[in-house]
Amino acid sequence: MTITIKQRHPALGAEVSGIDMRLPLEPATVQAVMDAWMKHLVLVFPNQRVSDAEHVVFTRHFGEPEIFHQTSLHLRSDRVREIFLVSNVDETGRLMTPAEPSQKQLSSSRQWHTDSSYRPMPSVGSLLHGIEISRTGGITQFINMYMVYDDLPDSLRRQVEGRKARHDFSMLSRLVGSPPPTPAEQAAMPPVWHPMVRRHPVTGRKSLYISSIYNDAIEGMEETVARRLVEELTEFAAQPKYMYRHVWEPHDVLMWDNRCTVHAVTPHDPMERRGMHRTTIVGREPVTAG
Ligand SMILES: [Fe+2]
């Protein structure tokens, strides 16, 4: 298989053609994808009509898929447990309203974050398959956090260097008013502290590591000051020069690195169906301070 890589934005994002995810991959092809991924941070694979099982098999080339710990809101597929549903349609095909608990929780993904940062060993990356895509919004935006770190003004840099921030899964419910995790789910995922500047285990590069939806505290800072700092950092990061905005086509599969990017989705008409299936690659090591 010969693959072709075409850059989509100067900061991050590239399209990969010449891959059929349904077919077995040669080790050399896996390595070529890996190299492109480390270089471009977000890869777009157009026209991949994969089943959930094939999606999971492709994911395993890059690591072990995560099993989402929360079952109470049915965001984890009942059919293939490695699949997380980023959808406003349930597995029977029913369109859900924005008031339903799962939809409230998913609405948090409109704010900048990186998947599963609330885990002691946060996720390596995610692969999202657009099955039913939105035309009224639902654009997935990504930021290159290496570049953001490199360009941080001194006033902000001083506040994050050598500091840790807390990542708490249960912050979601406080943020968007969705039901809090059950006691068992809470016990499975207690809050964790990660460095705000991290070093990438593969590229060795430093990046800013923050989350608007999970950071509820910063070492040595009052809560309101900490929240304001995350907001200020996020505002600095969300500049077009650091951002790739992905406008979906049916059966695009996106693969992004959760260690050096953040993402956020734009709102869309809730009457429009949006069905997307995600796998999430589990982290293999704790976050290393940069
Ligand atoms: Fe996400």
Side-chain angles (χ1 to χ4, degrees):
M1 239 179 242
T2 311
I3 69 166
T4 310
I5 315 287
K6 201 166 78 192
Q7 197 178 47
R8 286 257 180 126
H9 186 278
L12 75 169
E15 182 181 319
V16 182
S17 46
I19 294 254
D20 184 340
M21 286 188 185
R22 296 169 300 188
L23 303 177
L25 290 188
E26 302 278 333
T29 309
V30 174
Q31 190 57 52
V33 171
M34 188 66 172
D35 293 345
W37 194 28
M38 293 304 100
K39 184 174 173 194
H40 298 285
L41 288 52
V42 177
L43 298 182
V44 181
F45 298 87
N47 201 23
Q48 301 290 339
R49 294 177 178 270
V50 282
S51 67
D52 288 340
E54 289 161 342
H55 181 165
V56 171
V57 167
F58 182 81
T59 302
R60 284 191 200 280
H61 288 113
F62 305 95
E64 195 54 32
E66 181 179 308
I67 312 294
F68 188 46
H69 71 288
Q70 186 191 39
T71 51
S72 54
L73 298 188
H74 301 285
L75 287 164
R76 187 171 104 190
S77 165
D78 290 330
R79 295 173 185 160
V80 177
R81 62 192 202 126
E82 292 89 349
I83 294 288
F84 177 83
L85 305 167
V86 187
S87 302
N88 67 359
V89 283
D90 70 15
E91 289 194 286
T92 68
R94 181 181 67 92
L95 178 70
M96 293 182 273
T97 72
E100 291 184 49
S102 66
Q103 299 305 298
K104 273 194 175 172
Q105 185 162 308
L106 275 186
S107 73
S108 64
S109 62
R110 292 178 200 149
Q111 300 184 49
W112 295 102
H113 67 282
T114 166
D115 297 334
S116 298
S117 67
Y118 50 79
R119 287 179 166 241
M121 292 195 275
S123 165
V124 165
S126 301
L127 290 93
L128 184 60
H129 176 204
I131 299 165
E132 290 183 276
I133 59 124
S134 158
R135 293 288 185 197
T136 63
I139 294 169
T140 310
Q141 311 173 105
F142 296 90
I143 294 175
N144 179 334
M145 297 300 269
Y146 293 135
M147 288 175 82
V148 169
Y149 172 76
D150 289 344
D151 288 358
L152 270 186
D154 284 346
S155 58
L156 289 174
R157 184 183 300 269
R158 271 199 303 274
Q159 299 184 71
V160 298
E161 214 71 75
R163 270 225 162 90
K164 285 185 173 180
R166 192 164 64 187
H167 297 244
D168 184 0
F169 178 76
S170 70
M171 183 175 155
L172 280 187
S173 56
R174 300 193 291 277
L175 203 64
V176 295
S178 52
T182 64
E185 288 165 353
Q186 197 121 28
M189 222 44 84
V192 290
W193 291 89
H194 296 308
M196 299 183 79
V197 179
R198 67 177 294 178
R199 193 173 287 282
H200 196 288
V202 180
T203 66
R205 293 184 65 189
K206 287 160 87 168
S207 67
L208 180 66
Y209 193 58
I210 54 166
S211 169
S212 297
I213 65 174
Y214 299 126
N215 283 156
D216 70 336
I218 294 175
E219 247 175 10
M221 277 188 186
E222 273 181 41
E223 198 183 319
T224 49
V225 179
R227 283 299 297 168
R228 206 178 315 133
L229 176 58
V230 174
E231 273 169 32
E232 232 181 301
L233 289 164
T234 304
E235 200 177 311
F236 177 80
Q239 300 186 56
K241 62 181 170 181
Y242 306 131
M243 193 188 299
Y244 169 62
R245 304 179 80 240
H246 184 69
V247 178
W248 288 86
E249 289 298 329
H251 297 290
D252 281 343
V253 173
L254 254 63
M255 175 172 172
W256 64 84
D257 191 327
N258 279 315
R259 300 165 292 189
C260 54
T261 65
V262 290
H263 58 275
V265 67
T266 65
H268 66 98
D269 178 353
M271 292 306 289
E272 189 181 36
R273 297 168 67 91
R274 187 174 193 262
M276 305 211 164
H277 289 185
R278 192 185 84 196
T279 51
T280 317
I281 305 168
V282 292
R284 291 180 287 260
E285 66 248 310
V287 177
T288 308

